[in-house]
Amino acid sequence: MEEDEACLFGDVVLTSFCPRILVVSTPNYEYNVILQKSALQSQEEDPDEKNQSQSCKFRNHDHKFEWTREQFGCWASDLATRHNYTVEFSGVGGVVDVEPGFASQIAVFRRVDTTLKNADSTHNYEVLWEWSQSNM
């Protein structure tokens, strides 16, 4: 996914589906230096692999972008404000108060708007296909 598509993702999900809770996780770009040091130490025997690792600025070769904690925080906070959600930040791998934070950062969005609780519970989507045992 490109960065501009990822930015639109939150708007689409929170506007179209209005989930009570949305959990989003993404790599913490700032943590990559630790992972790359570890990868370099384990690849000392193969200089070709070492050069490949040093040239990779993102965690995985197929990543189009990765956000710092500040970038992710701004994106999530702005999204939450625009769509009437609260957002809490957490992560996996690492420690929040120790640089560079968590390896993967997490934002938990919770809907504040209570009007949807009493709204008609009809689905706002068209079912295209449903899986059942008979489809096998």
Side-chain angles (χ1 to χ4, degrees), residues 71-98:
Q71 290 170 313
F72 184 61
C74 287
W75 170 80
S77 296
D78 180 56
L79 186 66
T81 299
R82 287 186 286 116
H83 294 280
N84 203 21
Y85 279 75
T86 62
V87 63
E88 297 173 40
F89 297 96
S90 185
V92 176
V95 182
V96 70
D97 295 330
V98 177

Side-chain angles (χ1 to χ4, degrees), residues 39-118:
L40 288 174
Q41 289 171 356
S42 68
Q43 294 173 354
E44 287 180 356
E45 299 83 31
D46 190 343
D48 291 333
E49 286 186 35
K50 186 175 179 181
N51 289 336
Q52 288 174 359
S53 177
Q54 286 174 326
S55 66
C56 179
K57 75 176 198 174
F58 295 140
R59 191 162 304 179
N60 293 316
H61 67 87
D62 64 342
H63 287 190
K64 307 287 192 244
F65 74 97
E66 292 177 359
W67 281 329
T68 64
R69 290 170 286 170
E70 182 180 357
Q71 290 170 313
F72 184 61
C74 287
W75 170 80
S77 296
D78 180 56
L79 186 66
T81 299
R82 287 186 286 116
H83 294 280
N84 203 21
Y85 279 75
T86 62
V87 63
E88 297 173 40
F89 297 96
S90 185
V92 176
V95 182
V96 70
D97 295 330
V98 177
E99 289 298 320
F102 293 112
S104 293
Q105 45 197 344
I106 296 172
V108 179
F109 296 86
R110 296 180 195 280
R111 189 177 66 218
V112 175
D113 187 358
T114 58
T115 59
L116 291 175
K117 287 181 183 176
N118 299 325

Side-chain angles (χ1 to χ4, degrees), residues 11-38:
D11 286 318
V12 170
V13 170
L14 297 182
T15 300
S16 300
F17 300 105
C18 303
R20 279 180 270 163
I21 297 174
L22 173 67
V23 179
V24 176
S25 69
T26 187
N28 172 8
Y29 178 75
E30 297 160 284
Y31 201 88
N32 290 354
V33 67
I34 291 174
L35 297 175
Q36 288 173 354
K37 281 182 189 176
S38 174

Side-chain angles (χ1 to χ4, degrees), residues 112-131:
V112 175
D113 187 358
T114 58
T115 59
L116 291 175
K117 287 181 183 176
N118 299 325
D120 184 7
S121 63
T122 59
H123 299 290
N124 293 327
Y125 57 87
E126 176 185 350
V127 176
L128 299 176
W129 181 82
E130 285 188 40
W131 182 85

